[in-house]
Structures are given as C-alpha cells and as structure tokens.
C-alpha cells in the first residue's frame, strides 16, 4: 500500500505539472490565498502521518482452521459473540474506507500542491522582453566565471528590484550616480522618473522583484579596440561579486519560454525545465555594470532583508564558498590548463562549485561515464558526518564522559552527524543528493529513537514524497530521480548480497580453510560484489539516463570500477580533510590539496588515454527513450525486484519482447522515411541539415556499402551576410563537431555518404587576388575544420567544399601538428561548383550544385546552392534534440502565385528540395545570366519544389518564379523579404503529402 499510494502521488504531481506547463490554465488568486503552499504541505504531512498510524494498527492476521471452526460453534451458541464479531467487521470495513479516503485525499491534495506551485511561478515570471535598470542582489555563487581568454561566460542567480525602464544606453558612471542617489534618498530617487511612475501599476513597479539568471558572455573585440577591451573590461569585476552584494545594472530581460537557453538548444538539454526547477523567473543579459556597491543596508531593500535567520545563515555560508573559490582562483592565469582543471575538479568535489571546470573537462567526464562523481553525493556528506562524529565522541570520551549519563553514545554521535550533514549540505548548495542524505540520517535516527517498525526503504520512499510536497518542481530535476533510484538499488542489492556473503562465510568456517585461502576468497567476494553492483546499477539506470539525457556512455561500466573507489576512498577523504584543515591552517590544507590535484591530474591523463583508444571511440549509446519504453523496462525488471518466488520470472518475457520490438520500430522509423532534419547548432546564422534517404534496392553508388539501407548527407552553411554587420560566431569547431556527432548518433547515423559545406572560406586559398575586403570578412575556417574533426568521429565518403580549397592539404597538416593526437585521418576535398552532380545507383536520388563559380576571382559568387531531386517525397522536420522521435514539421510558406507545370510526366521526380546558401546578391545575378534558361527540348519539371534557406538570403522574386518554387522554409523561421511581394500563405502542416 505504501508503494502504491506514494507512486500515485508522484505520478499525479508530474501529470499536473506537465499539463499546466503545456496548456494555459487560468490563474486563481483566491485559490492560492485559501490553499497556501506551506499550509497545504503541512496538511499533507499531517494526513500522511494519520494514514500511516491507521494502517499500522490495521494489520490483518490469519486464523487457523480449527479456531475458525471453534468460533463458528461459539457464534451458534452465543448470540452476543455474533454481535461483537459483526461490530469488529464493521470497524474493519470503516477502517479500510477511512484509509481509502485519506489516500484519495493525499493524491488530490498533492495534485493541488503542484497546481498552486505552478500558478505561483506563473504570477512571478517575466512575460515579455524589456530593457531595464535595476538593483541587483547577488544570490549564492555563480555557475561560471567570466574569462575572455577561455571564452567563458558569467552565469549567476540574482534578485532584481527597484526596476525602471531603460530609456537610453547607460554608462558606468550613470549607474554609479544612481547608487549615490539611492543611498542618499530613503525613498529612492528613481521614483522621480515620470515614465517609471506611469508604469508603477504594471509589472515594472518599484515593489516588484524577479529572480533571474544573469548572463554575460565575452564578445570578440575588433582589432582596433582589442587591447583596450582586454585592459579595461567592465565585466571582469563580475567575478569579484560575492553573495549578498548589491549594485545597479542595466539589463535586457527575457522570458524563459523565449530565452536563448530554451530555444534552439543543440544538445537536447531542457534548459527551460532546469531554470524553472531552480525557480528562475527570467533571463537577464547584462548590458552595463556599476562599480559602486550599495553598502548602506538600512537604506537599501535587499531581497534578504525580511528573510529568516536560516536564509541569512545560508548567505554567510555562500560567502564562505565564494572565498574558498577565490583561494583556488589565485594565480589562475599563470598555471597550465591541466593544473587548472585538476584544481577545478578538487574544488567541485569539496563544495560542489563547478564554475572553474571548462567544457573539455566536463565532456571528458561525460565520455568516461563518471560525470556523477563531480557532484556532491551522499558519500561526501556521510564521510564528513562520520569523521566529525568520531572526533566529537573521542573528545567526549576524553574530556566529558559524564554526558553519557544523560545522552546515550549513539544519540550523541547521531546529533553530531545530523548537524554536520545539514551544515555541509548547505555549504554545497543543498542540492538533492546532499539534502537527501541529511534528511535520511535524521529520519533513520528518529525511527530508531521511537522504535518504529519501518524499513530503510520505506523511509527513503517517504522522503522522496516529502521533498516533492515541499517543492513540486524538484520532480523536474534529474538529480532527484538518479539520487533516489540509485540509493534504492543500493539498498536492495545490499540486502541480497549480505545474505549471500554470510552464507559463504559460514561454509568457509565450517570447512576450516587456511588463512590465505580465506583471505583470497574474501578478496574475490569483494571484487565480485563490486563488479556485480556496478553492472546492476549501470543496467538499471541506463533507461533512466537515456530518458533524461538522450545518451549514455557504455564505457562508464569499466571506468567506474576503479574511479568510484579512487574517488570514494582516496580523493574525497583527503579533500574533506584538507577542508577541515583550512579552518585551522591554510598552509597544511594547501599541501593536501596539492596532493589531491596531482592525483586528479594523473586520473585525467589516464582517462584521456583510455578514451582515445580506437576500441573506446564508439562509446556513446543513442537510443530514443520515452515513458512507454521506460514502463516496459520496469515491467521486465519487476520479477527480479520482487522477492524470489513471488512471481515467475518467465513473466518478464512478454514486456521484454515488446520492448525490443518497440526500440527496433523506433530505430526503423528514423531511417525508412525520406527526411531532411534541420539540426540546431546554437548559432542563428550557422545551419546544418541532414538528409536521410532509404535505398529500395542494392544498386547503389560505388562509394557506399552495398549492404546499407540508408544514405545520409550533411549540409553545412554560414549565412552571415557580408554586406551587413553581424555578431561573429561564438561556436568553435570542436563544440560544433561534438554537437553534430551527438545529433547524428541519436538519428542512428554511423556513416555519411558526404558532407557539403555550402559556404566558401577564403582561408583555404592563396590564389585570390581581388576582393580583399571580402577576403577579410570571409576568413572563417569554422565549417572546414568542423568537417575535419567530424571525420575523426565517423567515416565520411565525400567532402564538397564551396569555393577554392587549394590549401586544404596544408590546412589539415597544420591542424594535425598543433593537436595532441597524431593518428588523425585526412579527407580529400572536392569543389562544390555549378554543375557538380552525385546520383544514387538506382536513380531515386540525385544532388546537384546550382551555383558556385570558383574560377571567377571573387568569393562573392563561390557559395554553393544545392538541389536535391528525389523520386520519393522528402519531409522537412525541425530536429528535437530532447526527443528525436518527436521532431516537428518545419513551418512552410505556400506560394500560391507560383505556377505549376501543366503536364506531368510519368517518370518525373516527385520533389526537388533547394538548399540555399547565398550571402551576396551576385550569386543569383550570375545564375540568372548563365543558368536560368534550361534546354528547350525537354524542360525538367517537379511535382513539388521546396526552398530551404535563411531569412538573410538575397534571392529575388524573379528567381523564385523561374525555379517554380511552391514552398519556402527558413532556418530561423522568419519571413523572407522576397516573398512579401508574392501571395504567401503560412501553412504549418506536415511536409509529407
């Protein structure tokens, strides 16, 4: 009953949050006033206690048969016995009804709790983009540090108040003047702003506060101002803001639903739910930062002025975390990258502060399958609690043994462990794993103190429900599920393994084996238990990991065997010991941290060597997992989770067979339908499109495997117009290649027939003599370098490059020399120019270059627009990184003015898909002059012509009519300027006919 009611409570809360987030539900302020969240949480806890008490005293018992016959004889002879028996039966029925009513009430109350929490979040969220000036109060420590050298941005949770609209750009001195006026005038001199007074009734009022995520990313300076910006960058002081600081900033606010963190995320990470789970109301990009802090707290209105003592205590703890980070951050720029990352991981293992860990180190831990070791887990909290409790008991034994007259030894140890666990959990941010451990220690000690017959597994499950009641949005955190499920598996495994080891030890003692043989057997038992435990955890958590993150590292099963022991028994204890010594002697702590950093650095070298082996190159498992697949996995594992003999394990075969059929059907659905996926890259001007086309027979091109049933082409382009100023790309080739590799893996693409880079790169040629200005603006080698790195991850048969590429061989060699691995494979390049064609062996698919004239000494006409002709209709989908199976059709503009061919040939292709990549108007001018008129004897027509490009395209209405384009799609979902003069009707229907 406990498991059923608790599961229904969590399912009901998750369902309410999902429904409320996907559809508009009217907000009821009266309902929130009547059912306040803390009051409702307390009521749910009281009802749960009553339900547990009633169920505890309602344990049914079985009666022997001879007693039943005896009672039957008594009831026939004594009528009063029959009446008492009926009253007991009535009492039992009433008891069951009461339990059912309380259970239903708990489920409904939990659903209301989730609904009210969602409505409260809706009331406080930012609803529209706006530029403001506001007083910013720093809350906690930042998620990352601002560093121009490593291109690292600043991310910090903060509370903004005293908000007023930003009428014009503000300089640093203007914000400092606001700070001075704010400290002088108690009523806030910003209230004199008339526009601010007019909007005081709106959300931009003086008394309105928002909890936002501050963002500040380094901008690539121009050559003329690069030195000045590096010497005096106002954003550099962001790293020195500590928790509780207040200062004025000018900000660009954005809602969560339309923020950069929630849209076009190429990794599949659901940042919207992650931010909402942290109770963030919006995203704020920093425009200008003041230099003066608001130090007079009596005149200011900080977010924590009316907070509780616990919140103030947490602020002081966060200041200690910030000071410890600054201690690690000393002389940071003078150290090597390996030493920096070793210290960064050491700091993360101590306080949970990952701000100094760069992207490469995080990717390394993810590839090795040990990224969970970077988080503060229950092991860290438990180690520190045991260390401090042991030290406290030792002091009590030596100095004050009389305390045991009043408090038993185990209670003294327990209270010290609870205090240490909660303080350390607060010091590490009070994340779910640390909070779960602290509350578990408290609950288990309370059960022992009250002598309640409650198992540890039930305590864990009750704690999971309790944390969901206190904060329903914790159900959106991956750490919640992984933490509780992993601990439940450990408890389940520990019960069975303890019984098995006890049996083995008894048999060994019965046979009176030798000491060496007994020791060898014990070591073998320990090694076997560790491997079985790791295998059990890996297999059980694999579906949940795939559901939450979309991928899993297969080699984590191997690396975790020694990494967990190294971290758990060497690195973490030494790190905690250094943290304790830091309070007394920082010099001793630095010596221990130096040893820990050296061990971590050697571990990084070992993991880098292991993951670079050819056998470990294909370490990622990409399998789309949804709730239905997860349910089938649970049904398959149910016979092994229940006690042996409870149900037959053969019952796992039907759900296991259904699971295999479902996974196979999902994989086939990704490869059997002709599809062009628009892949998000994280840059609005960088586009990536993947064509997957099934092969109906074995007559394929000579460059492909004759056994393949699918052909894949990848198209890359940079749509930054050269005639207009745009922000340079913050993408790197390493980041883009890793993103594309992950997306291709999730779509079951393990080899590419070809890659087409449709944008030219002037850095690949030395033969350009004209257009020097264009050469300077078109000197990026991002896409060619991405192709080279992607070729190291999966085989690529062909590489088409727009423009001239005579320096490609030297370019590859120079990159191989500058990189660490020396066994990189080269890839030959072919020019993507007008007239170049590739065709499938059976003639169902052909790819043709429509533009690109590299013989002309001007890069403005080098960009290569490609036409894909297919006998099967091709659907165009917006790739959903979180769930590729739920990729949605792209929004298309139906051009009603386009003329369709009057005659249809029986063998003409079904569809043409044009992938446009022009960055200059000369491209289509050249096409109009040279290529617009086809052969007069037999013009080629198509049943449907779809154009896919960027809204910055220079294509004209005349070219659209000449191409007989029926549908137009843009990568950025913006209207194309050339279609404004046409009769365009927006249609969001599926691209399939």
């Amino acid at each position: 009953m406990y498991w059923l009611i608790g599961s229904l409570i969590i399912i009901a809360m998750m369902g309410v949050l999902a429904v409320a987030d996907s559809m508009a539900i009217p907000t009821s302020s009266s309902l929130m006033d009547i059912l306040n969240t803390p009051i409702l949480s307390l009521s749910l806890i009281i009802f749960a206690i009553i339900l547990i008490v009633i169920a505890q005293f309602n344990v049914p018992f079985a009666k022997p048969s001879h007693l039943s016959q005896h009672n039957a004889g008594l009831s026939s002879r004594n009528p009063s016995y029959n009446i008492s028996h009926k009253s007991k039966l009535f009492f039992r029925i009433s008891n069951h009804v009461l339990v059912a009513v309380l259970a239903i009430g708990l489920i409904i109350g939990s659903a209301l709790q989730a609904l009210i929490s969602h409505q409260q979040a809706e009331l406080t969220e930012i609803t529209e983009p706006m530029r403001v000036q506001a007083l910013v109060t720093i809350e906690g420590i930042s998620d990352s540090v601002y560093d121009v050298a490593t291109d690292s941005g600043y991310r910090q949770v903060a509370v903004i108040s005293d908000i007023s609209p930003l009428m014009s750009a503000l300089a640093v001195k203007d914000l400092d003047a606001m700070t001075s006026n704010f400290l002088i005038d108690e009523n806030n001199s910003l209230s004199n702003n008339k526009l601010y007074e007019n909007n005081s009734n709106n959300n931009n009022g003086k008394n309105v506060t928002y909890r936002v995520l501050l963002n500040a990313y380094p901008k690539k300076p121009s050559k003329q101002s690069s030195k000045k910006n590096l010497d005096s960058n106002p954003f550099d002081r962001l790293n020195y803001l500590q928790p509780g600081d207040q200062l004025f900033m000018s900000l660009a606010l954005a809602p969560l639903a339309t923020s950069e963190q929630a849209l076009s995320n190429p990794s599949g990470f659901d940042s919207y739910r992650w931010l909402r789970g942290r109770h963030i109301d919006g995203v704020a990009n920093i425009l200008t930062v003041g230099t003066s802090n608001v130090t007079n707290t009596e005149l200011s209105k900080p977010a924590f002025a009316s907070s509780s003592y616990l919140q103030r205590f947490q602020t002081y703890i966060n200041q200690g975390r910030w000071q410890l980070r600054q201690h690690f951050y000393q002389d940071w720029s003078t150290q090597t990258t390996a030493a920096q990352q070793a210290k960064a991981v050491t700091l993360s293992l101590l306080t949970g502060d990952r701000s100094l860990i760069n992207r490469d180190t995080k990717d390394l831990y993810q590839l090795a399958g040990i990224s969970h070791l970077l988080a503060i887990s229950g092991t860290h909290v438990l180690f520190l609690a045991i260390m401090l409790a042991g030290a406290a008991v030792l002091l009590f034994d030596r100095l004050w043994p009389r305390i045991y007259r009043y408090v038993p030894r185990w209670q003294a140890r327990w209270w010290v462990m609870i205090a240490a666990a909660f303080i350390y959990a607060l010091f590490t941010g009070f994340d779910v794993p640390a909070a779960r451990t602290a509350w578990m220690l408290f609950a288990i000690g309370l059960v022992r103190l009250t002598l309640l017959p409650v198992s540890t597994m039930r305590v864990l499950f009750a704690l999971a429900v309790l944390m969901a009641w206190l904060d329903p949005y914790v159900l959106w955190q991956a750490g919640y599920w992984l933490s509780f499920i992993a601990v439940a598996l450990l408890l389940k495994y520990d019960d069975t393994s303890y019984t098995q080891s006890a049996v083995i030890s008894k048999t060994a003692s019965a046979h009176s084996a030798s000491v060496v043989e007994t020791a060898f057997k014990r070591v073998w038992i320990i090694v076997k238990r560790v491997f079985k435990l790791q295998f059990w955890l890996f297999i059980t958590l694999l579906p949940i990991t795939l559901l939450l993150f979309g991928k899993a590292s297969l080699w984590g099963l191997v690396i975790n065997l020694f990494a967990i022991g190294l971290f758990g028994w060497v690195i973490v204890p030494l790190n905690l010991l250094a943290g304790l010594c830091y309070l007394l002697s920082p010099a001793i702590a630095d010596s221990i941290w130096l040893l820990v950093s050296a061990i971590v650095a050697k571990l990084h070298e070992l993991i880098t060597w292991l993951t670079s082996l050819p056998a470990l190159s294909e370490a990622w498992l990409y399998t789309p997992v949804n709730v239905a697949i997860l349910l089938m996995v649970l049904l398959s594992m149910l016979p092994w989770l229940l006690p042996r003999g409870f149900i037959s394990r053969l019952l796992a075969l039907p759900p296991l067979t259904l699971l295999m059929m479902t996974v196979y059907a999902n994989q086939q659905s990704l490869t059997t339908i002709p599809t062009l996926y628009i892949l998000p890259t994280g840059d609005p001007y960088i586009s990536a499109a993947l064509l997957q086309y099934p092969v109906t027979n074995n007559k394929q091109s000579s460059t492909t495997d004759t056994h393949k049933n699918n052909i894949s082409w990848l198209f890359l382009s940079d749509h930054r117009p050269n005639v207009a100023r745009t922000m340079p790309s913050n993408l790197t080739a390493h980041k883009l290649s890793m993103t594309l590799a992950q997306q291709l893996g999730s779509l079951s693409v393990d080899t590419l027939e070809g890659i087409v880079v449709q944008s030219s790169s002037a850095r690949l040629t030395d033969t350009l003599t004209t257009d020097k200005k264009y050469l300077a603006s078109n000197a990026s080698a991002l896409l060619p370098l991405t192709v080279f790195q992607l070729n190291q991850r999966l085989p690529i048969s062909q590489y088409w490059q727009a423009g001239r590429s005579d320096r490609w061989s030297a370019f590859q060699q120079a990159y191989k020399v500058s990189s660490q691995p020396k066994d990189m494979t080269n890839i030959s390049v072919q020019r993507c120019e007008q007239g170049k064609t590739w065709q499938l062996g059976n003639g169902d698919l052909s790819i043709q270059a429509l533009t690109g004239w590299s013989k002309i000494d001007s890069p403005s006409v080098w960009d290569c627009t490609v036409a894909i002709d297919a006998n099967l209709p091709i659907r165009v989908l917006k790739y959903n990184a979180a769930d590729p199976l739920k990729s949605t059709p792209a929004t298309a503009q139906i051009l009603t003015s386009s003329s369709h061919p009057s005659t249809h040939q029986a063998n003409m292709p079904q569809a043409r898909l044009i992938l446009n990549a022009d960055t200059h108007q000369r491209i289509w001018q050249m096409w109009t002059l040279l290529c617009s008129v086809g052969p007069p004897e037999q013009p080629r027509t198509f049943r449907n012509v779809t154009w896919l490009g960027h809204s910055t395209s220079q294509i004209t209405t005349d070219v659209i009519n000449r191409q007989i384009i029926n549908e137009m799609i843009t990568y950025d979902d913006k209207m194309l300027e050339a279609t404004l003069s046409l009769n365009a009707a927006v249609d969001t229907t599926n691209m399939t006919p």
Side-chain angles (χ1 to χ4, degrees):
M1 184 189 69
Y2 295 98
W3 306 101
L4 178 61
I5 296 176
S7 302
L8 292 177
I9 287 174
I10 293 179
I11 291 174
M13 297 182 73
M14 291 181 60
V16 169
L17 288 178
V19 172
D21 190 65
S22 60
M23 60 183 298
I25 296 179
T27 304
S28 176
S29 58
S30 60
L31 178 63
M32 287 185 290
D33 292 337
I34 297 174
L35 299 176
N36 196 8
T37 304
I39 297 177
L40 185 57
S41 301
L42 183 60
S43 302
L44 291 173
I45 295 173
I46 294 175
F47 283 133
I49 294 175
I50 296 174
L51 177 62
I52 292 174
V53 172
I54 294 177
Q56 194 69 31
F57 289 98
N58 188 32
V59 179
F61 59 92
K63 296 181 180 180
S65 58
H66 66 278
L67 291 180
S68 300
Q69 296 175 0
H70 178 69
N71 292 336
L74 287 177
S75 61
S76 61
R77 295 192 303 266
N78 190 359
S80 61
Y81 177 83
N82 194 12
I83 296 174
S84 63
H85 180 70
K86 291 182 179 180
S87 63
K88 289 181 180 180
L89 180 64
F90 175 76
F91 177 77
R92 181 168 296 181
I93 294 176
S94 302
N95 202 347
H96 284 298
V97 171
L98 182 59
V99 168
V101 170
L102 288 175
I104 296 174
L106 283 177
I107 296 172
I108 297 176
S110 302
L112 285 176
Q113 174 80 342
L115 179 61
I116 292 174
S117 298
H118 181 271
Q119 290 189 350
Q120 287 179 346
E122 291 287 334
L123 288 177
T124 58
E125 70 175 358
I126 297 174
T127 57
E128 59 182 9
M130 51 185 168
R131 290 175 174 257
V132 299
Q133 57 194 28
L135 178 64
V136 177
T137 303
I138 303 300
E139 179 181 322
I141 60 175
S142 61
D143 295 336
S144 57
V145 296
Y146 186 88
D147 191 354
V148 179
T150 60
D151 198 26
S152 174
Y154 177 79
R155 291 164 58 90
Q156 170 71 61
V157 177
V159 177
I160 60 174
S161 58
D162 293 277
I163 306 169
S164 60
L166 185 63
M167 305 306 299
S168 60
L170 296 179
V172 176
K173 60 181 181 180
D174 298 329
L175 295 176
D176 292 341
M178 292 179 186
T179 304
S180 301
N181 295 332
F182 183 81
L183 292 175
I184 293 174
D185 190 359
E186 292 184 0
N187 296 323
N188 192 351
S189 61
L190 293 177
S191 61
N192 296 328
N193 191 334
K194 295 181 179 180
L195 182 60
Y196 175 69
E197 290 179 350
N198 293 334
N199 294 336
S200 60
N201 293 327
N202 299 330
N203 288 337
N204 297 333
K206 185 169 71 171
N207 296 323
V208 175
T209 60
Y210 294 113
R211 194 168 183 263
V212 298
L213 180 67
L214 299 177
N215 288 328
Y217 295 100
K219 299 179 180 179
K220 296 182 180 179
S222 61
K223 293 184 178 180
Q224 297 178 354
S225 59
S226 60
K227 295 183 179 180
K228 296 181 180 179
N229 290 337
L230 288 176
D231 294 338
S232 58
N233 193 338
F235 287 169
D236 287 339
R237 70 182 308 271
L238 292 173
N239 296 333
Y240 300 97
L241 295 178
Q242 55 180 316
D245 283 353
Q246 290 184 305
L247 71 164
F248 278 94
M249 297 183 185
S250 58
L251 308 169
L253 303 182
L256 293 181
T258 59
S259 63
E260 270 189 286
Q261 284 78 5
L263 295 179
S264 301
N265 192 347
S267 64
F269 176 66
D270 195 345
S271 58
Y272 169 74
R273 289 199 170 190
W274 182 76
L275 293 172
R276 180 56 68 89
R278 297 179 70 183
H279 302 282
I280 304 297
D281 300 326
V283 179
N285 293 322
I286 301 176
L287 304 177
T288 314
V289 183
T291 58
S292 301
N293 289 345
V294 178
T295 56
N296 192 346
T297 57
E298 294 181 358
L299 300 180
S300 62
K301 299 187 303 179
F304 306 113
S306 59
S307 60
S308 62
Y309 289 104
L310 180 60
Q311 291 176 327
R312 295 182 183 180
F313 177 66
Q314 187 172 1
T315 302
Y316 295 143
I317 289 180
N318 286 328
Q319 290 177 354
R321 296 179 68 194
W322 179 85
Q323 293 173 0
L324 190 59
R325 179 208 287 178
Q326 296 303 111
H327 181 77
F328 275 76
Y329 201 57
Q330 291 178 356
D331 302 328
W332 188 259
S333 58
T334 61
Q335 302 174 8
T336 62
T337 304
Q340 289 177 354
Q341 293 310 300
K343 292 182 64 176
V345 171
T346 302
L347 177 63
S348 175
L349 294 174
L350 181 63
T351 66
D353 184 2
R354 302 189 190 185
S355 59
L356 302 181
I357 303 178
N358 60 19
R359 186 70 260 173
D360 294 337
T361 303
K362 292 179 181 178
D363 294 338
L364 178 65
Y365 275 72
Q366 288 180 359
L367 181 61
I370 57 174
S371 58
H372 60 93
L373 297 177
L374 293 176
I376 298 297
S377 63
T379 307
H380 300 69
V381 180
L382 196 59
F383 259 121
L384 184 63
I386 292 174
M387 290 170 59
L388 292 180
V393 170
L394 182 62
L395 290 177
F396 289 153
D397 292 341
R398 294 292 183 91
L399 302 179
W400 197 17
R402 289 180 298 176
I403 192 176
Y404 298 132
R405 296 180 181 177
Y406 311 99
V407 180
R409 183 187 295 269
W410 76 267
Q411 289 189 19
R413 185 188 299 270
W414 175 56
W415 284 112
V416 174
M417 290 180 67
I418 288 177
F422 275 98
I423 293 175
Y424 186 58
L426 286 172
F427 189 74
T428 56
F430 214 72
D431 290 332
V432 173
R436 185 252 313 151
T437 304
W439 285 111
M440 276 288 290
L441 286 175
F442 177 77
I444 292 175
L446 192 62
V447 168
R448 182 180 177 183
L449 185 64
T450 56
L451 300 178
L452 291 176
V454 181
S455 64
T456 307
M457 188 71 77
R458 288 187 177 182
V459 172
L460 179 68
F461 195 66
L463 184 59
V465 175
L466 179 62
M467 293 185 69
W469 281 344
L470 296 178
D471 183 11
Y473 280 108
V474 77
L475 297 173
W476 280 2
Q477 296 184 21
Y480 174 84
W481 296 100
L482 294 177
S483 175
F484 279 100
I485 293 176
V487 173
L489 292 173
L490 286 173
L491 292 175
K492 178 66 178 178
Y493 179 82
D494 186 66
D495 292 338
T496 57
S497 63
Y498 178 79
T499 303
Q500 295 175 0
S501 62
V503 173
I504 293 174
S505 62
K506 288 181 179 179
T507 56
S509 61
H511 290 82
S512 64
S514 62
V515 178
V516 178
E517 185 179 354
T518 304
F520 178 77
K521 287 184 178 181
R522 289 187 180 275
V523 171
W524 172 249
I525 291 173
I526 293 174
V527 173
K528 187 178 178 181
R529 286 184 61 187
V530 169
F531 180 78
K532 289 179 63 177
L533 174 62
Q534 178 59 35
F535 183 80
W536 169 255
L537 287 175
F538 180 81
I539 296 299
T540 310
L541 293 177
L542 182 60
I544 303 171
T545 304
L546 291 173
L547 178 65
L548 295 175
F549 304 105
K551 63 178 182 179
S553 177
L554 296 177
W555 293 106
L557 177 62
V558 178
I559 298 179
N560 272 288
L561 290 176
F562 66 88
I564 291 179
L566 180 63
F567 275 82
W569 295 102
V570 179
I571 296 177
V572 170
L574 288 176
N575 207 8
L576 294 176
L577 179 62
L580 294 176
C581 293
Y582 180 75
L583 301 175
L584 304 176
S585 176
I588 299 178
D590 289 336
S591 301
I592 302 177
W593 278 326
L594 186 62
L595 175 62
V596 174
S597 299
I599 298 174
V600 172
K602 292 298 181 182
L603 177 65
H604 289 176
E605 294 178 2
L606 177 61
I607 295 176
T608 303
W609 176 75
L610 287 175
T611 53
S612 63
L613 294 176
L616 299 179
S617 58
E618 301 295 333
W620 290 114
L621 173 65
Y622 301 98
T623 301
V625 173
N626 49 29
V627 179
I629 293 179
L630 187 62
L631 180 61
M632 285 183 280
V633 172
L634 293 177
L635 291 177
S636 302
M637 296 176 56
L638 187 62
W640 278 266
L641 295 177
L642 295 175
R644 182 183 295 270
F646 189 80
I647 59 175
S648 175
R649 293 185 174 180
L650 294 177
L651 295 177
L653 291 178
L656 187 61
T657 304
L658 183 61
L659 173 65
M660 297 173 62
M661 295 174 59
T662 304
V663 173
Y664 178 77
N666 291 340
Q667 296 293 335
Q668 290 298 312
S669 66
L670 297 174
T671 58
T672 57
I673 302 176
T675 307
L676 183 82
Y677 290 96
I678 301 176
L679 307 177
T681 61
D683 188 310
Y685 291 101
I686 302 293
S687 67
L690 174 69
L691 173 66
Q692 285 190 299
Y693 197 87
V695 180
T696 57
N697 55 48
N698 293 330
K699 295 181 180 180
Q700 301 180 19
S701 63
S702 59
T703 58
T704 60
D705 187 2
T706 57
H707 298 286
K708 285 188 65 64
N709 297 322
N710 187 273
I711 291 294
S712 300
W713 279 77
L714 181 64
F715 303 89
L716 304 176
S717 183
D718 189 347
H719 300 276
R720 279 178 171 77
N722 292 278
V723 295
R725 288 186 175 183
T726 58
M727 291 294 297
S729 177
N730 290 324
L731 278 178
T732 61
H734 177 69
K735 181 179 179 180
L736 182 57
S737 63
M738 286 196 63
T739 300
L740 292 174
Q742 177 178 345
Q743 293 170 346
L744 295 177
S746 65
L747 294 172
S748 302
V749 176
D750 54 1
T751 181
L752 286 173
E753 172 64 27
I755 292 184
V756 181
V757 177
Q758 301 178 253
S759 302
S760 61
S761 177
R763 287 185 60 182
L764 299 183
T765 179
D766 288 331
T767 61
L768 187 65
T769 58
T770 60
D771 278 0
K772 297 297 183 182
K773 294 183 179 179
Y774 197 99
L775 173 63
S777 61
N778 195 32
S780 174
L782 171 65
L783 298 183
L785 190 56
T786 300
V787 174
F788 179 75
Q789 295 190 9
L790 198 60
N791 186 50
Q792 315 307 318
R793 303 177 185 271
L794 72 165
I796 302 172
S797 300
Q798 302 181 55
Y799 167 35
W800 295 8
Q801 173 64 54
R804 299 176 184 176
S805 53
D806 44 87
R807 290 191 66 249
W808 174 245
S809 299
F811 185 82
Q812 291 186 99
Q813 188 64 29
Y815 181 78
K816 291 172 66 177
V817 171
S818 61
S819 302
Q820 294 292 336
K822 303 300 181 183
D823 55 347
M824 292 185 174
T825 57
N826 291 334
I827 182 173
S828 59
V829 64
Q830 307 175 37
R831 288 190 180 183
C832 182
E833 51 188 1
Q834 193 274 330
K836 185 173 180 59
T837 305
W838 174 88
Q839 188 173 12
L840 196 62
N842 57 12
D844 288 346
L845 177 69
S846 65
I847 299 175
Q848 178 185 1
L850 299 180
T851 65
W853 296 271
S854 58
K855 295 182 180 179
I856 300 178
D857 200 21
S858 175
S860 61
V861 294
W862 289 0
D863 294 336
C864 182
T865 295
V866 174
I868 303 173
D869 302 333
N871 287 338
L872 297 176
I874 300 176
R875 60 177 183 175
V876 181
L877 301 180
K878 287 279 190 179
Y879 173 79
N880 185 353
D883 190 355
L885 296 176
K886 294 183 180 180
S887 299
T888 57
T891 303
Q893 294 176 272
I894 309 300
L895 303 184
T896 58
S897 63
S898 299
S899 58
H900 295 272
S902 57
T903 60
H904 293 280
Q905 302 177 10
N907 59 348
M908 73 177 183
Q910 286 276 357
R912 162 169 279 198
L913 186 59
I914 300 175
L915 305 184
N916 187 36
D918 67 282
T919 56
H920 201 282
Q921 59 184 356
R922 296 178 187 173
I923 289 285
W924 291 113
Q925 292 175 357
M926 184 69 68
W927 181 86
T928 305
L929 293 174
L930 301 179
C931 309
S932 61
V933 181
E937 55 273 5
Q938 188 178 359
R940 195 177 188 187
T941 56
F942 303 90
R943 295 184 181 179
N944 186 62
V945 179
T946 302
W947 181 92
L948 175 61
H950 201 270
S951 61
T952 59
S953 173
Q954 302 293 323
I955 193 172
T956 61
T957 305
D958 179 64
V959 174
I960 294 175
N961 290 326
R962 288 174 182 264
Q963 291 280 358
I964 318 178
I965 296 175
N966 311 111
E967 299 169 331
M968 303 199 72
I969 304 173
T970 56
Y971 289 106
D972 53 348
D973 292 328
K974 295 181 181 179
M975 184 75 70
L976 190 66
E977 184 177 356
T979 61
L980 296 178
S981 58
L982 299 174
N983 184 16
V986 178
D987 184 17
T988 59
T989 58
N990 198 319
M991 294 297 299
T992 57

